[in-house]
């Protein structure tokens, strides 16, 4: 295998490993946190008691990390899939030279692109009844609002291939329609754009959740993205930061929170690099 | 004197009528015969009563003005029709393979029948008949190396290469004058002339009986244009391929065509 291919495979494997770990963590997330044990295990460091230590109430940090993964992973994945799907549709419409589809996509892009993304997301979040609070509608809304950029890029990449002429040439080589559209166009040529855009959206949805939950934590309000019984990674960041400001030794809580945020950013970057290298 | 030079001198003495007649009566196995074909939309006729025969080892120039339906006819020769309602008359046969009329169930039956033909004729395209489109960049997939694309084309041969895939790829690259390292290159890393050679390599790699080259000179400078057409003709003659060359260029027709087929009006009539 050539060096560039190794590089691409290594980056993709790194991204996929983190994604895999996130999915496993979300599946392993406890429905409720352990009962606080102030007397025995409050403020244990990394090496004492449960792995990664405990918080000020004696609850293992791992439980927060797992619950946080449970809050963000599936909605972020679904949002990424929404963007990937729309980018594929836009790319294929350009190659198939379906003029009405191209017009409809352009109209959708112009309408959605004109909406203020954060305001719409907040409206959706506030419009959800309290018992349905989840990151899913917020993530999907974010993905829909961000999709025009991905669709534009996919369509222009498909256009640079030669659009309908490229399909025609492949037909003349005797390839079936399925092989032309799914393999030659989507897999070989649009994959980079789709992976990069989807990875970006995934990261953005995670960061959006952390930001909204952090705001809720700091205002002592219920979160817009998850039920009150669960906690997001924002809890680790908020607890860690406020404890340090208050002079409590909770560096490990902040460290775990920052590590999780950094891992998410690294995952997106790894997928981007993997898709870029040939 | 090279064969191309002999051809040029011979054609200089022949009239357009001679070249047209040659397509009707020349010797040699007929590989493709498309007769009296008419194709149109609901608004207008795109190709009317068009006929062509492609013979083994001969170069047939398909000549016509812009918009006369040359590319559409070339696609029809491969069973690719996507015009509504499309084919109203005519027949398509590959006599060297069978006497089947591929247009039999398509005439006057609209898009559905054309799609059925497209699927039925998939096995012919890229094997028995190959196509090199106007722009080399359209013929080549920018997401794959030239070598991988050549491997895909070689796999369409009726008999797999005895010498192994790597050797077969190297052999095809040698034939079109590309260095072996080109097999590792992406299309974007090739120059215009190299891309044209790579497109030709992909067209000849399956060992086709018929090769259709749609204006292979488009976008090339005069020197490269000559190099590419002469390379194409040499390769086609070496493999005894029936070559259909779509062109506007009178000089190219004079130099390399054995036969000529006009579509629509004679584009050079006003210059005579």
């Amino acid at each position: 295998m050539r060096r560039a291919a190794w590089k691409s495979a290594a980056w993709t494997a790194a991204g996929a490993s983190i994604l895999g770990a996130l999915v496993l963590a979300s599946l392993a997330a406890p429905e409720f946190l352990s009962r606080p044990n102030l007397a025995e295990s409050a403020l244990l460091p990394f090496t004492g008691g449960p792995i990664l230590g405990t918080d000020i109430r004696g609850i293992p940090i791992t439980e927060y990390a797992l619950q946080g993964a449970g809050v963000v992973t599936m909605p972020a994945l679904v949002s990424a899939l929404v963007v990937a799907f729309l980018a594929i549709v836009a790319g294929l419409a350009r190659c198939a030279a379906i003029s009405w589809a191209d017009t409809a996509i352009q109209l959708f892009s112009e309408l959605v692109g004109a909406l203020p993304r954060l305001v719409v997301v907040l409206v959706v979040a506030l419009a959800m009844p309290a018992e349905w609070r989840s990151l899913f509608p917020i993530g999907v809304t974010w993905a829909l609002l961000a999709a025009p950029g991905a669709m534009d890029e996919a369509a222009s990449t498909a256009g640079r291939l030669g659009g309908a002429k490229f399909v025609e040439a492949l037909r003349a080589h005797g390839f079936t329609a399925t092989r032309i559209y799914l393999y030659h166009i989507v897999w070989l040529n649009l994959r980079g754009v789709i992976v990069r855009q989807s990875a970006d959206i995934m990261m953005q949805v995670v960061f959006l959740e952390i930001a909204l939950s952090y705001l809720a934590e700091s205002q002592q309000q219920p979160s817009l993205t998850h039920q009150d019984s669960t906690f997001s990674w924002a809890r680790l960041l908020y607890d860690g930061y406020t404890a340090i400001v208050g002079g409590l030794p909770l560096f490990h809580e902040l460290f775990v929170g920052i590590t999780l945020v950094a891992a998410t950013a690294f995952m997106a970057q790894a997928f981007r690099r993997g898709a870029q290298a040939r | 004197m090279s064969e191309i030079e002999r051809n040029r001198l011979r054609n200089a003495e022949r009239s357009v009528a001679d070249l047209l007649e040659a397509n009707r009566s020349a010797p040699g196995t007929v590989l493709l015969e498309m007769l009296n074909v008419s194709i149109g939309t609901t608004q207008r006729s795109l190709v009317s009563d068009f006929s062509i025969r492609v013979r083994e080892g001969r170069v047939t120039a398909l000549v016509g003005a812009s918009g006369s339906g040359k590319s559409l006819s070339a696609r029809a020769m491969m069973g690719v029709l996507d015009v509504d309602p499309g084919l109203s008359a005519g027949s398509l046969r590959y006599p060297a393979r069978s006497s089947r009329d591929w247009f039999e169930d398509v005439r006057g039956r609209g898009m559905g029948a054309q799609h059925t033909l497209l699927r039925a004729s998939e096995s012919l395209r890229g094997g028995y008949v190959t196509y090199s489109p106007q722009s080399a960049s359209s013929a080549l997939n920018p997401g794959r190396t030239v070598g991988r694309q050549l491997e895909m084309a070689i796999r369409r041969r009726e008999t797999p290469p005895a010498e192994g895939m790597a050797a077969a790829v190297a052999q095809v690259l040698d034939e079109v004058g590309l260095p072996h390292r080109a097999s590792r290159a992406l299309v974007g890393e090739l120059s215009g002339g190299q891309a044209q050679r790579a497109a030709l390599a992909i067209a000849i790699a399956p060992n086709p009986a018929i090769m259709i080259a749609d204006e292979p000179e488009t976008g090339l400078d005069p020197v490269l244009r000559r190099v590419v057409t002469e390379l194409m003709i040499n390769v086609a003659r070496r493999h005894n391929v029936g070559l259909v060359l779509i062109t506007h260029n009178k000089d190219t027709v004079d130099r390399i065509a054995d036969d000529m087929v006009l579509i629509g009006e004679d584009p050079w009539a006003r210059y005579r």
Side-chain angles (χ1 to χ4, degrees), chain A residues 161 171 183-184 188-189 278, chain B residues 125 141-144 186 189:
Chain A
L161 287 177
R171 264 183 186 170
Y183 179 68
H184 287 275
L188 291 181
N189 291 291
R278 14 183 293 234
Chain B
R125 289 190 299 276
N141 195 328
R144 283 236 115 157
L186 291 176
E189 295 162 353

Side-chain angles (χ1 to χ4, degrees), chain A residues 133-155:
Chain A
R133 268 179 295 162
S134 151
L135 184 59
F136 271 106
I138 297 169
V140 171
T141 306
W142 185 265
L144 286 172
L145 294 171
M151 291 164 82
D152 258 4
E153 198 182 342

